[in-house]
Amino acid sequence: MSTALAKEIDLRSPVGGVVSSETSSSQASDDDLGNGRPNEKTAGVRSNEVSTALPLGVPSEEKRFWFQRNKTNYDPNAIATQPSVFDDPDTAKEYQPPASWENIHRFDPAARWTWGEEYSLVRKIDWKIMIWACIMFMALELDRANIQQAVTDNFLKELHMDTNDFNLGNTVFKLSFLCAELPSQLVSKWIGPDRWIPAQMVLWSIVASSQFWLSGRRSFLVCRSLLGILQGGFIPDIILYLSYFYKHHELSLRLGFFWTAMSIADVLAAFLAFGLLHLRGLHNYSGWRWLFLIEGLLTLVLGVISFVLMPPSPTQTASKLRGRKGWFTEREEIIIINRVIREDPTKSGMHNRQPITPKLLWKSMKDYDLWPLYILGLMFQIPETTPTQYLTQTLKGLGFGTFKTNLLVIPSTVAHMFTMMALTYIAEIWGELTFTAAIGQVWAFPFLVYIYMVDITKIHKWTAFGIMTLLLSYPSAHPIQVAWNSRNSNAVRSRTVSAALYNMFVQASGIIASNVYRKDDAPRYKRGNRVLLSICIVNMALYTLTKIYYVKRNAYREKKWRAMTEDERIHYLATTTDEGNKRLDFRFAH
């Protein structure tokens, strides 16, 4: 769809039309787009040369998924350039990227390319950018989640701790992670994610390795806190970084692979733990100590490499270590920049090393239209997170040995990867975010009822293992909701802050989940399972209310928009002080 839709979707008219969050609002705030005024000396600016006679792609010809591209309905030589505000000389002036934007020299409204070129380039971006982002995330997951493997190797006993101490450690980590989210995101926006993310990895790897020398409860809590502080903000930093390279629907699917990488890391962690825990006795040290040391050093190596493999932007890949010619040709850079900016002009609103001011920060935090997504982030994972955190302890309590326990977590992790990716694809194919995301709650409900009604510590251990595996194979809506949050932000400064705020609520949910199972409720945790079941039911209601909220918000705006004459719409677009997702011509995704 065009970002310059007129009432009758007429690109010849300068009238701005209704814009869904699939394509983003065609005009950003003054804060985001340099007051919306073009710079006469800006390279790449051709607003007086833009010709509507140049061919444009037909939106219906876009084949978003590989299985849609066959010989009968896909022409790789067809024009892929989608209609945009930049196709009309009048509207192009209003949405001109500022001169300070790092990619301005590749901005060209007259550029045209084919579907074959675009899809080939997206695959190249996947190889150059996305795969390494997944590898970095796997390193984070190894260092924050290997505590689950450590507890199977007499970790708590040797440090003279109990279940409540373990819960406190998880809480301290998540609280520290949560508190660091927004400051980390602001630092990243200031100095650039290509600098900050590798620095984070190097710093947290040092703390992760130092857990080799843990001596008791105090050192355990200190290390968990430091680890949370240094890892906090990594996820929203990466999401913002990836948004420079991908369209909205592409980002949603890539985030599915991103969280799949986390699950792959959990599988690798089980295999690594199986080997590293066998080092128990080497130089008279426990296996869990070697686990922390070796996996931490692995992250240190990856962090150093990341300084090389993370370019600042699509047009800044050239360097001594990445190659003087860079990763992309001039033609490829033009395609990357213009295909993204034509879909969402707000992505040119800020330089990639431009800080968020306190005023913009407060404005973004007050954006109440994103609060429903924050509430979902707080609640949706709790019913599955608590059983996940206790899976290794549960399996060991059922009578499985240390090494078999670490291997038995693999089936649910692998199944979870497939169900999560399937759910993400379904959401994009179906075009329905809210009810697709709610499927995870429907999946978990019968299994939560079972573990509440039946004491799984008294049934056959393989039956209990099967029940827990099916529960934890649930399809997570996390990739859908992260991309959903990005779509409904509709401005760089909002996207920067909202990504951090959403993840803060997700981390807060982890804190809640870490304290549902208590020592006095062990080993069945009936009280805890009753809480999880109740939250699952509440979550189903929350998804329904979120759907109603966004439908009503869109209907309200649609009514006001339809009541305006064409001249009134033109006047609104030229004079409005509404910004980002508060504009009348913006529609929320749901």
Side-chain angles (χ1 to χ4, degrees):
M1 293 177 64
S2 168
T3 52
L5 295 177
K7 182 176 180 181
E8 300 300 330
I9 315 184
D10 182 359
L11 287 168
R12 295 169 297 177
S13 168
V15 181
V18 176
V19 181
S20 75
S21 55
E22 290 291 325
T23 57
S24 184
S25 175
S26 57
Q27 179 171 322
S29 67
D30 288 349
D31 296 318
D32 285 344
L33 290 179
N35 295 323
R37 296 290 179 263
N39 186 300
E40 296 295 334
K41 299 180 181 179
T42 299
V45 178
R46 301 182 184 178
S47 60
N48 63 332
E49 300 176 8
V50 177
S51 172
T52 56
L54 289 172
L56 289 167
V58 179
S60 62
E61 291 182 356
E62 182 176 9
K63 308 301 178 186
R64 294 184 173 185
F65 311 104
W66 58 269
F67 51 80
Q68 295 176 324
R69 301 169 198 160
N70 55 56
K71 294 181 179 179
T72 59
N73 66 359
Y74 168 59
D75 179 7
N77 297 315
I79 296 296
T81 311
Q82 295 296 291
S84 166
V85 292
F86 300 115
D87 300 318
D88 185 282
D90 295 323
T91 56
K93 294 176 183 178
E94 299 298 324
Y95 313 125
Q96 173 64 43
S100 60
W101 187 41
E102 69 275 7
N103 302 308
I104 189 65
H105 61 295
R106 295 293 185 242
F107 172 62
D108 182 3
R112 298 293 183 267
W113 58 91
T114 66
W115 288 118
E117 287 182 293
E118 178 162 337
Y119 292 142
S120 176
L121 184 54
V122 170
R123 288 193 296 270
K124 186 174 182 179
I125 296 172
D126 289 340
W127 280 103
K128 295 290 188 180
I129 303 298
M130 190 67 221
I131 288 180
W132 190 252
C134 290
I135 291 173
M136 291 188 293
F137 191 29
M138 291 170 69
L140 178 139
E141 179 64 11
L142 280 178
D143 288 332
R144 73 175 176 178
N146 54 13
I147 188 71
Q148 307 297 332
Q149 285 80 40
V151 296
T152 66
D153 191 42
N154 296 323
F155 173 80
L156 296 178
K157 182 178 179 181
E158 292 179 12
L159 293 181
H160 309 291
M161 299 192 302
D162 57 25
T163 300
N164 287 347
D165 294 322
F166 178 73
N167 285 343
L168 179 60
N170 283 329
T171 301
V172 167
F173 170 80
K174 291 183 181 295
L175 183 60
S176 301
F177 198 102
L178 182 155
C179 292
E181 289 276 8
L182 192 53
S184 176
Q185 182 77 324
L186 296 179
V187 171
S188 179
K189 190 68 188 68
W190 177 33
I191 69 175
D194 57 298
R195 296 172 177 172
W196 178 237
I197 291 174
Q200 278 184 287
M201 295 180 69
V202 170
L203 291 171
W204 92 56
S205 69
I206 296 172
V207 175
S209 300
S210 69
Q211 292 177 108
F212 179 88
W213 291 279
L214 289 178
S215 58
R217 183 175 182 269
R218 179 178 297 178
S219 59
F220 167 68
L221 295 177
V222 169
C223 279
R224 297 313 290 177
S225 179
L226 288 174
L227 201 59
I229 291 172
L230 295 173
Q231 289 186 337
F234 174 89
I235 295 173
D237 291 347
I238 283 284
I239 293 169
L240 180 64
Y241 178 72
L242 292 176
S243 71
Y244 299 159
F245 296 86
Y246 292 108
K247 294 180 180 180
H248 290 309
H249 76 273
E250 292 169 348
L251 181 60
S252 179
L253 296 175
R254 267 69 189 177
L255 291 178
F257 286 107
F258 187 63
W259 268 279
T260 297
M262 183 184 76
S263 297
I264 293 174
D266 291 334
V267 174
L268 291 176
F271 284 112
L272 286 172
F274 183 82
L276 294 176
L277 293 180
H278 273 94
L279 294 178
R280 170 173 283 274
L282 181 64
H283 298 297
N284 295 320
Y285 288 112
S286 301
W288 59 264
R289 295 184 185 274
W290 292 111
L291 178 75
F292 286 136
L293 179 64
I294 294 173
E295 291 184 354
L297 292 176
L298 175 62
T299 299
L300 176 62
V301 173
L302 295 176
V304 172
I305 297 174
S306 296
F307 279 106
V308 177
L309 296 184
M310 287 192 70
S313 77
T315 62
Q316 297 172 305
T317 60
S319 71
K320 291 182 179 179
L321 296 177
R322 287 189 295 269
R324 295 189 180 276
K325 294 184 177 180
W327 290 347
F328 306 110
T329 65
E330 179 179 337
R331 169 72 174 169
E332 289 173 333
E333 289 180 354
I334 290 173
I335 295 174
I336 294 174
I337 296 307
N338 288 278
R339 76 188 196 95
V340 170
I341 204 67
R342 290 179 78 88
E343 183 200 42
D344 187 351
T346 68
K347 289 188 177 182
S348 67
M350 298 182 73
H351 191 277
N352 61 359
R353 303 203 196 286
Q354 181 178 346
I356 300 289
T357 65
K359 179 181 178 181
L360 293 180
L361 173 61
W362 178 240
K363 186 183 296 184
S364 299
M365 293 177 70
K366 292 192 301 181
D367 189 351
Y368 55 83
D369 283 316
L370 295 176
W371 292 357
L373 296 179
Y374 299 156
I375 295 172
L376 288 179
L378 177 67
M379 300 293 291
F380 84 108
Q381 288 193 131
I382 295 175
E384 297 87 6
T385 299
T386 300
T388 299
Q389 291 179 345
Y390 278 80
L391 182 59
T392 53
Q393 294 188 60
T394 299
L395 293 176
K396 198 167 184 182
L398 290 172
F400 294 107
T402 297
F403 303 112
K404 184 176 288 187
T405 292
N406 282 295
L407 294 179
L408 287 176
V409 303
I410 294 175
S412 61
T413 304
V414 172
H416 175 67
M417 290 163 44
F418 285 103
T419 58
M420 179 175 62
M421 281 306 306
L423 193 73
T424 306
Y425 269 94
I426 289 171
E428 292 300 326
I429 295 171
W430 186 17
E432 170 58 52
L433 301 179
T434 313
F435 292 139
T436 305
I439 290 175
Q441 307 302 316
V442 177
W443 177 294
F445 180 75
F447 301 110
L448 291 173
V449 170
Y450 185 89
I451 63 175
Y452 171 66
M453 300 296 295
V454 178
D455 185 356
I456 63 172
T457 65
K458 300 293 179 61
I459 62 178
H460 193 278
K461 64 180 183 180
W462 284 108
T463 302
F465 163 73
I467 295 296
M468 296 303 296
T469 297
L470 288 172
L471 168 61
L472 300 182
S473 298
Y474 76 102
S476 174
H478 202 23
I480 295 173
Q481 292 177 189
V482 170
W484 187 4
N485 184 74
S486 179
R487 290 179 181 182
N488 283 356
S489 296
N490 199 46
V492 174
R493 51 100 177 159
S494 294
R495 193 168 289 121
T496 300
V497 176
S498 68
L501 290 176
Y502 174 81
N503 212 45
M504 288 172 68
F505 277 86
V506 172
Q507 297 307 317
S509 78
I511 296 175
I512 297 171
S514 296
N515 291 278
V516 173
Y517 286 173
R518 305 298 297 176
K519 183 179 179 180
D520 62 348
D521 196 27
R524 184 179 175 183
Y525 300 114
K526 185 171 184 177
R527 183 182 66 232
N529 289 330
R530 182 171 63 248
V531 171
L532 297 180
L533 180 59
S534 300
I535 292 175
C536 183
I537 295 171
V538 169
N539 286 346
M540 295 180 194
L542 286 176
Y543 278 107
T544 302
L545 292 174
T546 299
K547 181 73 173 182
I548 293 172
Y549 178 80
Y550 284 129
V551 168
K552 292 290 186 182
R553 286 288 286 162
N554 286 347
Y556 171 76
R557 292 184 180 184
E558 184 69 14
K559 182 178 180 181
K560 293 190 68 175
W561 186 255
R562 291 295 180 187
M564 298 168 68
T565 66
E566 189 168 299
D567 289 340
E568 287 174 333
R569 293 180 188 178
I570 294 174
H571 180 72
Y572 172 84
L573 293 176
T575 62
T576 183
T577 58
D578 295 336
E579 301 175 352
N581 60 16
K582 296 297 181 284
R583 293 173 52 84
L584 280 178
D585 59 336
F586 178 79
R587 299 293 178 268
F588 293 100
H590 55 78

